[in-house]
Amino acid sequence: MRGTGLAAIATAVMLLVEVFASGVHAQPAAKSLLEGLNLEEVKAHVEALSSFGSRFTGYPGYYRAVEYVVAALKGLGLEVELHAFNATVPLDYGAEIEVDGSRVKAYHLYPNLVALGSANVSGQLVYAGRCTPGELAGIDLEGKVAVVQFDSEWVEAVARGAKAVVFLGPATDRLSALRKVLQIPLDIPRIYVEEGADLVREAARRGAYATITGRYEWVKVPAYNVVARIPGSSEPEKVVVLAAHLDS
């Protein structure tokens, strides 16, 4: 695979910025340049980066992404710098639910500020669906583990006394995922299950008891900014910065 896709992406981004800044008069030039964008190469880069698994800082996929981008930029003949620094991140070593003699793999959700909510709890599972008023009517969640759909109003379960929340996949969209994170340090175990979701749902409907274990820690890890410079042909005193997240 050739490395021109990244250059094309950078060109397209700069062009779109210029279009929005300059108004409709810049659109013909933008259209001409965008027509030269090789979408197959862009797709190849996206597929490669998406194949690394989680690219969250500190996970193996993040470091593979750094190596990939460095190699692609060097393939364009650019000089590449790595700016190393340390970052403290929540590192999920995994979790599982033991119920009805089965072990179901689970994942911790992003912390509520500094509160990790590490999954180490036992109790009765109670299915609360999407936590609508009708579904919660008559359900006793005090001191129990609420099992809810991913796109639920899960805070209602916590307000009713649930001591942990299990989200059942599949996940829907980014906005729904962001609603799982609070801007207060609510320290309550919250885990996500995809494979095995049906088993956990049925167990919760029967009121089965389960043990949830996991390891989730704040860890200082090495992180990097990848920097490549393209000298300008005019106005060298000016700098245009194009930035993107490696861990997104």
Side-chain angles (χ1 to χ4, degrees):
M1 180 180 62
R2 292 176 296 171
T4 55
L6 288 178
I9 294 172
T11 301
V13 171
M14 287 190 290
L15 188 55
L16 290 173
V17 171
E18 183 179 349
V19 167
F20 285 113
S22 305
V24 296
H25 298 295
Q27 291 184 13
K31 182 178 179 181
S32 176
L33 286 173
L34 288 175
E35 286 176 348
L37 184 64
N38 189 327
L39 294 180
E40 289 303 314
E41 291 190 358
V42 174
K43 181 181 178 182
H45 285 302
V46 171
E47 289 178 346
L49 289 167
S50 299
S51 71
F52 299 156
S54 173
R55 297 192 305 280
F56 193 91
T57 304
Y59 289 77
Y62 168 78
Y63 298 106
R64 290 186 65 187
V66 171
E67 293 173 355
Y68 180 88
V69 171
V70 168
L73 291 172
K74 285 184 176 180
L76 297 174
L78 299 176
E79 293 186 6
V80 181
E81 299 176 13
L82 280 180
H83 295 174
F85 60 97
N86 291 324
T88 301
V89 301
L91 203 61
D92 183 8
Y93 293 94
E96 69 175 17
I97 303 174
E98 185 174 358
V99 60
D100 291 343
S102 298
R103 294 178 181 270
V104 179
K105 186 176 182 179
Y107 305 88
H108 292 90
L109 270 71
Y110 194 80
N112 293 321
L113 292 183
V114 297
L116 288 170
S118 183
N120 288 285
V121 63
S122 296
Q124 184 179 10
L125 303 179
V126 177
Y127 184 65
R130 290 180 170 78
C131 296
T132 65
E135 289 172 307
L136 293 177
I139 294 180
D140 178 18
L141 288 172
E142 185 65 39
K144 300 176 182 177
V145 178
V147 177
V148 304
Q149 295 301 125
F150 189 77
D151 57 348
S152 65
E153 299 297 329
W154 66 278
V155 175
E156 295 298 325
V158 177
R160 291 172 182 255
K163 64 180 179 180
V165 180
V166 178
F167 295 93
L168 302 179
T172 49
D173 54 51
R174 179 176 174 80
L175 183 60
S176 184
L178 290 174
R179 286 201 294 268
K180 308 297 180 291
V181 183
L182 302 180
Q183 297 306 307
I184 58 173
L186 177 65
D187 195 12
I188 181 172
R190 296 167 301 130
I191 60 173
Y192 171 74
V193 172
E194 187 157 319
E195 296 180 8
D198 290 340
L199 186 155
V200 175
R201 183 186 295 105
E202 293 307 313
R205 283 175 169 156
R206 291 185 282 101
Y209 283 78
T211 297
I212 303 173
T213 56
R215 182 183 171 198
Y216 198 22
E217 300 175 356
W218 289 105
V219 179
K220 183 181 289 186
V221 299
Y224 303 94
N225 289 324
V226 181
V227 180
R229 292 182 173 84
I230 303 175
S233 58
S234 64
E235 300 180 290
E237 73 282 1
K238 296 183 179 180
V239 177
V240 176
V241 177
L242 294 179
H245 293 281
L246 281 167
D247 60 351
S248 61

